[in-house]
């Protein structure tokens, strides 16, 4: 972050709404109570909301009035009990939604241990949604890897 900026992990904020996370929700880099990895790293401030494919899993936050951007990575993680050949049943797509408007969309992710960075200007927004979408709930191990709001 640039000088004078402060970054806060979303995991350290209180979410206002969580919907569609039928197969689990966590803000501590765990899945079913055990830490997961992505790209052979642990992500202690990762947020995962695992949907069943019928609707996006959405985690919503109110933003500080001074928020200027959100940043981090999204990825497909490997739970501790995953078998080597298990992959998502369909592409996983991540979206950042600011005040009801999609401001960033990931490329579709189909392989475990893959990640993409994001950095999005959200100045003036009051509410943010982190959306995780897939058509299949099978191995839909998508996570927001240590996402931050910067003010």
């Amino acid at each position: 972050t640039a000088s004078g900026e402060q970054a806060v992990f979303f995991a350290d904020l209180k979410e206002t709404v969580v919907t569609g996370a039928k197969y689990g929700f966590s803000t501590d880099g765990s899945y079913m109570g055990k830490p997961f990895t992505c790209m052979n790293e642990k992500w202690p401030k990762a947020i995962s909301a695992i949907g069943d494919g019928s609707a996006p899993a959405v985690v919503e936050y109110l933003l500080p009035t001074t928020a200027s951007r959100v940043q981090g990575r999204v990825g497909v993680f490997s739970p501790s009990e995953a078998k080597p050949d298990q992959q998502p049943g369909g592409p996983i797509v991540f979206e950042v939604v600011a005040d009801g408007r999609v401001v960033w969309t990931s490329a579709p992710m189909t392989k475990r241990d893959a990640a993409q960075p994001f950095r999005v200007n959200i100045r003036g927004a009051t509410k943010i949604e982190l959306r995780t979408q897939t058509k299949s709930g099978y191995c839909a191990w998508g996570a927001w890897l240590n996402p931050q709001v910067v003010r």
Side-chain angles (χ1 to χ4, degrees), residues 4-107:
E5 290 183 328
Q6 288 183 308
V8 179
F9 289 105
F10 275 95
D12 293 333
L13 301 174
K14 180 67 185 142
E15 62 280 354
T16 53
V17 179
V18 178
T19 57
K22 294 197 167 74
Y23 292 124
F25 169 70
S26 76
T27 59
D28 63 359
S30 71
Y31 177 69
M32 300 182 74
K34 296 180 186 158
F36 61 71
T37 61
C38 184
M39 302 179 314
N40 297 314
E41 286 182 55
K42 289 186 178 165
W43 301 86
K45 301 280 187 176
I47 296 171
S48 65
I50 313 294
D52 67 357
S54 64
V58 179
V59 185
E60 191 176 292
Y61 296 89
L62 293 177
L63 290 168
T65 53
T66 54
S68 63
R69 72 174 179 273
V70 293
Q71 63 190 25
R73 290 181 180 172
V74 293
V76 182
F77 65 84
S78 290
S80 56
E81 71 280 356
K83 294 174 181 58
D85 60 342
Q86 280 183 303
Q87 295 293 343
I92 300 171
V93 175
F94 299 88
E95 290 180 335
V96 175
V97 181
D99 292 339
R101 190 171 60 89
V102 176
V103 293
W104 180 81
T105 304
S106 72

